[in-house]
Amino acid sequence: MATEGDAVRTNTQGFNQGRYESVADLDEYETVKDEARTIKEDAIDRLPELIDQLRSTVENNGGTLYLADDAADANRYVRTVVGDGSEKTVVKSKSMTSEELNVNEALEADGHDVIETDLGEWVLQVAEETPSHIVAPAIHKSRAAIAELFEEVFSPTEPLETAEELTVFAREKLGEWIQEADVGMTGANFIAADTGTIALVTSEGNARKTVAGTDTHIAVAGVEKIVPTVEDLQPFVELIGRSGTGQDITSYVSLLTPPVETPVIDDTDEETPLSEIDDDREFHVVLIDNGRMAMREDDDLRETLYCIRCSACSNVCANFQQVGGHAFGGETYSGGIATGWEAGIEGLDVAGEFNDLCTGCSRCVDACPVNIDIPWINTVVRDRINQGHEENFDFLVDGLTPDNEAGSPPLQKRFFGNFETVARLGSTLAPVSNWLAETTVSRQLLHRLLGIDPRRDLPTFHRRTLIDRFQDRETTVDTPRRRAVLYPDLYTNHVQIERGATAVRVLEALGVDVAVPSVPSSGRAPLSQGMITTARSHAERISDTLAPYIADGRDVVVIEPSDLAMFEREYERLLDPAAHERLATNSYEIMEYVFGLLENGADDAPLRDGDGTEVAYHSHCQQRTLDVEAHTVAVLERCGFDVLTSDVECCGMAGSFGYKSEYFDVSMAVGDELRDQFTAPETRERTVVASGTSCLEQLDSLLERRPTHPIELLVDRSPTE
């Protein structure tokens, strides 16, 4: 899959960094997010009632509300309002809902001129392209590309080179069209049911001009844009600019209660260009259902309707930063939340075209200003796509695979979703399995049948697993400070045995009685492939297995951050509340646990003295989401290591994602930033450390020196383990 160029990466990363800085300045940011979420939940819950209230309000204000079933119905009404008797000019401000409707094409078919007045949208209209980003639609175009486009289309008398020259040229052109326009069309970021007030958030002020410069105003909006009261707009105004472009407040926030009483502008009258207030100004709000009311009844897609279209989920996503919205998007919407929108509006087939670009890293969860669980929506849609998948010989695959799926997911997803079985076979047959997997014939078959990229190194399975080594071993701690289960995740148990053994040594050195029981894998592998039923089975078996240990007073210590995230986050949707609460509250990331032991009096003398050893550390995506990455740095520094932390947010591997041939190039492109940072003069001699299995594998591919897990720095490796 090709990337969309440096402009998308540079701009989205700039927006994302701006978000970090802006929200840091907002007191009680999380409280404001919770307030916005509560308002959205209430509004969607009472949506039919609020639609009726808004209709009454708009009509009392002198306007008209039309509720359209779908895009064709909405366009039919808009065409009626604009009329078909004579050619008219319709000027538009930016509106993704109008993109969803394809209203431009509908009006142009009637002979009308439709002009986009948002600079980015106008550039794309001239270029005959579609948006690559829901807030910055022309984000993929560089200044030079826009200059070349204007030169080709308009042949300006003076060459246009700088951003200022291009902007001035566009402003003059658009100003002429607005002066001539008959109809102004806007979207609506929010609509208050009690007053009919429309909030329009823009960067250029063109929305207000579009309304004030014409005598007919049409606003198109999804039904989910309604909020109960005008006071409810406050948290959204606080959040939308910060979340989208990193601005404390967007350049223009227009609150209009149409029909507006702004004087009509007559540009032909140089002495009195502003008329008396025109009481005859028309206003029509067209609310769009187009699948939204069905989404409201869908327990898993319902959250999509809370979306305020800020684009934070796009800007924070490492894959989006590389491929842009043309690849990571459907008919209209792009980015992480687009899967929910496209599945609900267009259907699963459209959502399925880009759904796999979400790796479930969960960075978008924290970024979302209304706390939408976007990874879960993507997982549910992936699961539904799997259910509808059909291929020849599915009956044979169904009989051979051990998962619990009712449908027949594609073979590649089934392979990765059943990786627990693959690992068991690998260990049972090792070393023959490792030799066989590396033969040319095997690599070709893995590539052709399962889409596993031959450029990736395959894991080497150990015949004697971590559980085999420690399951029946007596503790070496006579008077334990704590008692714990070391959770043997799939890779630590079958592949990274020494990492697990080292973790046991560290914990015992700090006075912990450690048990390593036989426990199923977390279900992360099947969940990442959209195999929810199978993942739930894993969760239930883990809960049943670990419950007696927890009841016996043991903590659960987890090496792999993505598994800890399963216990704390995804299991909330897979287990009953009591079982989830029990496991989530008693589970700890390994370095978080070591930090807690040291902070509560454990003697650090048995740990290795770092003696100023220089370390370059990359934390895992899920660690950042769970806010536990700082513990690793604190422990290493306490032990005397000189730690330099990567500010790259994603390594690009993401479990099976980086193994898949269709995503290998994207995976490596995402990883390039990490490679550049860890080969810079200030880091190239440092020991590379990472917490996640995928991060370690990716770093191993990117660098010429082998990375290690931080727990392995804390004690000297014992040859007897």
Side-chain angles (χ1 to χ4, degrees), residues 508-519:
E508 291 186 339
L510 295 174
V512 180
D513 172 358
V514 182
V516 185
S518 178
V519 191

Side-chain angles (χ1 to χ4, degrees), residues 506 591 594 598 604 606-617 631-645 686-689 708-716:
V506 169
M591 296 300 283
V594 170
L598 296 175
D604 60 8
L607 302 184
R608 179 185 168 197
D609 181 2
D611 194 24
T613 301
E614 294 186 330
V615 168
Y617 172 59
H631 301 100
T632 298
V633 177
V635 170
L636 292 178
E637 289 182 342
R638 173 166 176 161
C639 291
F641 292 90
D642 178 10
V643 184
L644 189 153
T645 303
R686 287 176 175 258
T687 299
V688 175
V689 178
T708 190
H709 191 281
I711 197 71
E712 296 178 284
L713 294 182
L714 298 186
V715 291
D716 294 320

Side-chain angles (χ1 to χ4, degrees), residues 669-682:
V670 172
D672 278 346
E673 281 189 76
L674 192 54
R675 171 168 45 200
D676 292 344
Q677 192 161 98
F678 280 179
T679 55
E682 64 272 22

Side-chain angles (χ1 to χ4, degrees), residues 110 116 158 251 269 330 356 398 440 448 467 570 583 595 631 647 662 673:
D110 288 344
E116 299 283 354
E158 297 291 333
S251 302
D269 187 341
D356 282 347
D398 290 345
T440 302
R448 291 179 181 176
I467 294 173
E570 282 83 358
L583 191 53
F595 175 84
H631 301 100
D647 59 11
E662 62 269 38
E673 281 189 76

Side-chain angles (χ1 to χ4, degrees), residues 422-664:
V422 176
R424 282 179 180 169
L425 284 172
S427 287
T428 301
L429 301 176
V432 175
S433 57
N434 297 319
W435 168 81
L436 185 63
E438 290 297 343
T439 63
T440 302
V441 172
S442 294
R443 293 309 303 253
Q444 289 176 344
L445 286 173
L446 289 171
H447 178 52
R448 291 179 181 176
L449 294 178
L450 301 174
I452 296 176
D453 198 282
R455 290 168 287 185
R456 283 289 180 196
D457 293 332
L458 298 176
T460 300
F461 298 107
H462 289 256
R463 188 175 186 85
R464 190 181 183 212
T465 66
L466 184 72
I467 294 173
D468 292 339
R469 187 181 294 186
F470 286 96
Q471 186 174 19
D472 298 322
R473 174 178 172 270
E474 294 292 332
T475 180
T476 62
V477 180
D478 294 331
T479 53
R481 173 181 295 275
R482 303 284 298 185
R483 301 169 70 239
V485 166
L486 180 71
Y487 174 67
D489 64 83
L490 201 52
Y491 253 70
T492 302
N493 188 40
H494 292 275
V495 181
Q496 299 293 339
I497 312 299
E498 291 306 323
R499 181 173 65 192
T502 302
V504 173
R505 289 182 58 209
V506 169
L507 294 176
E508 291 186 339
L510 295 174
V512 180
D513 172 358
V514 182
V516 185
S518 178
V519 191
S521 62
S522 70
R524 170 64 69 185
L527 194 74
S528 69
Q529 308 305 313
M531 298 163 61
I532 294 177
T533 303
T534 304
R536 180 173 286 110
S537 171
H538 283 250
E540 290 169 349
R541 286 187 287 138
I542 281 189
S543 177
D544 291 345
T545 305
L546 292 181
Y549 290 94
I550 295 172
D552 192 36
R554 288 187 183 269
D555 307 312
V556 178
V557 181
V558 185
I559 296 175
E560 173 54 40
S562 63
D563 284 339
L564 180 68
M566 283 287 288
F567 294 173
E568 294 197 7
R569 285 177 31 80
E570 282 83 358
Y571 277 16
E572 184 176 9
R573 297 181 182 272
L574 301 175
L575 295 174
D576 67 72
H580 167 250
E581 178 73 13
R582 179 175 59 237
L583 191 53
T585 56
N586 288 285
S587 298
Y588 305 88
E589 191 262 346
I590 178 74
M591 296 300 283
E592 175 193 17
Y593 197 71
V594 170
F595 175 84
L597 291 169
L598 296 175
E599 286 294 300
N600 286 280
D603 183 5
D604 60 8
L607 302 184
R608 179 185 168 197
D609 181 2
D611 194 24
T613 301
E614 294 186 330
V615 168
Y617 172 59
H618 175 71
S619 61
H620 188 277
C621 303
Q622 305 280 12
Q623 272 184 304
R624 297 176 194 228
T625 303
L626 298 174
D627 200 22
V628 296
E629 79 275 21
H631 301 100
T632 298
V633 177
V635 170
L636 292 178
E637 289 182 342
R638 173 166 176 161
C639 291
F641 292 90
D642 178 10
V643 184
L644 189 153
T645 303
S646 158
D647 59 11
V648 175
E649 299 197 4
C650 182
C651 73
M653 188 66 181
S656 63
F657 182 82
Y659 278 97
K660 297 177 179 178
S661 295
E662 62 269 38
Y663 301 124
F664 176 83

